[in-house]
Amino acid sequence: MTTHHLVRRAADLSWSPPAGPLAASVGLEQWSVVDASTPAVHTGFGLSRLAPGGRVPSHVHSYEESLYVTDGHVVVQTPGEAARLGPGGYGLIPIGVPHSLRNEGEDDARFVRVSVPVPRPEHDFDTQLVPEVGDTDALDADVRDPRTRRYGQITEAHMDPARQSQELLEVSASMRTALLVYSGISLKMMVDSDLGSVLSSMFMVQYEPHGAAGLHDHPLEETYLILDGTVDATFDGAEYHLEPGDVAWAGVGCQHSFRNGDGVVRWLETQAPPLPPRHGYRFARDWDYLRKRLEGDAG
């Protein structure tokens, strides 16, 4: 039986100002890909662009929000904490946490926004403005620093099986989880229960040349943003050649597969709801590292 899926091409990208409470934002434009107008139930997925000097006012959501930065830098401000995310930076904003966004750089910031469950237009997109959260000095996301505990950064190098030695892991987001490698496929978790996520997960997937995943389905929704390379995919029997900037969404029970050609392909993937966490890869924050940082800042 045919189930739901959708594919949006990079050429379809169309920026528009935000609606609802965030219409007061300065310099913000969005491209909504998976939303209440689609068959999705669990997943809202779109791209945002924030101009230099741009700002999104303080607000809260009744959904879980994750971010992934593709270009430029964006500062995520929560009460008493601010994290600066550059290319490859990601983070989690739990339900009900007041936050604002700002671009302190000289270039546009572009980032992915994942909202779980789908924001409802008839309820002001499940968003409420709140009194402004005061700006604090932004810290670069550092997986070792408890002050940026809900953020991290991932690069192409983190997907390299040869770069999983301890001296490299301890200064990168890669220290949080092992790199899973099977059948020419590498996977690195990003947003998951370690960061406090309850409703969703986000991870990076890389296929080596001629990597493949056979026809399968899940009791969850998946979304894919192609970042590098190309891949042939099927969703419910329909065939697609996906390229950088393309977004695909597979609903619950959608049978899908992937086949890679002669190059390497890398994409960002989300799941909602998430699969149960694996045992044995819990990560403990390094409070001694924080003490040393604070002593150094004071000196």
Side-chain angles (χ1 to χ4, degrees):
M1 181 179 67
T2 300
T3 54
H4 297 301
H5 74 276
L6 62 85
V7 173
R8 295 289 184 266
R9 299 295 186 178
D12 298 332
L13 191 154
S14 178
W15 298 112
S16 60
L22 297 187
S25 300
V26 176
L28 178 66
E29 295 180 300
Q30 300 180 333
W31 180 41
S32 184
V33 181
V34 184
D35 55 28
S37 68
T38 71
V41 174
H42 300 286
T43 309
F45 188 99
L47 303 182
S48 294
R49 179 171 67 179
L50 189 60
R55 177 177 288 267
V56 179
S58 296
H59 59 284
V60 296
H61 304 299
S62 60
Y63 53 81
E64 190 172 271
E65 183 176 41
S66 299
L67 306 176
Y68 172 77
V69 178
T70 59
D71 300 279
H73 292 77
V74 63
V75 175
V76 184
Q77 178 75 59
T78 56
E81 297 178 348
R84 181 187 299 103
L85 305 179
Y90 60 87
L92 169 75
I93 303 169
I95 293 173
V97 172
H99 61 285
S100 63
L101 305 175
R102 62 183 186 268
N103 182 355
E104 299 177 335
E106 298 179 353
D107 301 308
D108 283 351
R110 296 194 181 195
F111 51 95
V112 173
R113 291 181 64 245
V114 183
S115 311
V116 179
V118 177
R120 301 167 295 176
E122 65 271 24
H123 293 279
D124 280 337
F125 298 94
D126 294 294
T127 298
Q128 176 67 51
L129 295 178
V130 298
E132 279 301 320
V133 176
D135 289 357
T136 59
D137 292 338
L139 300 172
D140 291 328
D142 186 335
V143 72
R144 299 164 294 177
D145 192 334
R147 294 175 294 178
T148 55
R149 61 192 178 278
R150 290 194 296 267
Y151 307 94
Q153 184 181 35
I154 190 165
T155 68
E156 292 182 48
H158 296 154
M159 304 301 295
D160 184 352
R163 294 179 60 85
Q164 304 304 303
S165 60
Q166 187 57 44
E167 64 271 16
L168 294 173
L169 297 186
E170 65 186 11
V171 295
S172 77
S174 299
M175 70 183 293
R176 293 189 52 255
T177 65
L179 181 67
L180 304 178
V181 182
Y182 57 97
S183 302
I185 304 170
S186 301
L187 183 153
K188 175 73 72 175
M189 294 304 299
M190 295 160 59
V191 174
D192 59 10
S193 59
D194 273 4
L195 266 65
S197 175
V198 176
L199 302 178
S200 62
S201 62
M202 177 188 291
F203 47 96
M204 193 68 65
V205 175
Q206 179 171 295
Y207 277 37
E208 298 302 319
H210 307 294
L215 199 64
H216 62 286
D217 61 17
H218 306 288
L220 47 82
E221 296 177 357
E222 290 186 320
T223 310
Y224 320 84
L225 169 63
I226 308 301
L227 299 173
D228 299 293
T230 63
V231 66
D232 292 316
T234 61
F235 297 98
D236 288 324
E239 298 186 359
Y240 299 91
H241 183 70
L242 301 179
E243 300 179 337
D246 292 347
V247 179
W249 172 84
V252 173
C254 171
Q255 295 189 1
H256 54 286
S257 66
F258 298 97
R259 303 172 307 282
N260 193 22
D262 295 332
V264 173
V265 62
R266 186 171 60 97
W267 68 71
L268 183 75
E269 183 168 339
T270 71
Q271 291 182 338
L275 290 172
R278 299 176 179 84
H279 296 293
Y281 81 98
R282 303 298 297 177
F283 171 69
R285 297 290 165 183
D286 189 347
W287 292 98
D288 288 336
Y289 174 78
L290 174 59
R291 293 187 190 97
K292 293 176 182 178
R293 279 288 303 273
L294 293 175
E295 290 171 359
D297 292 345

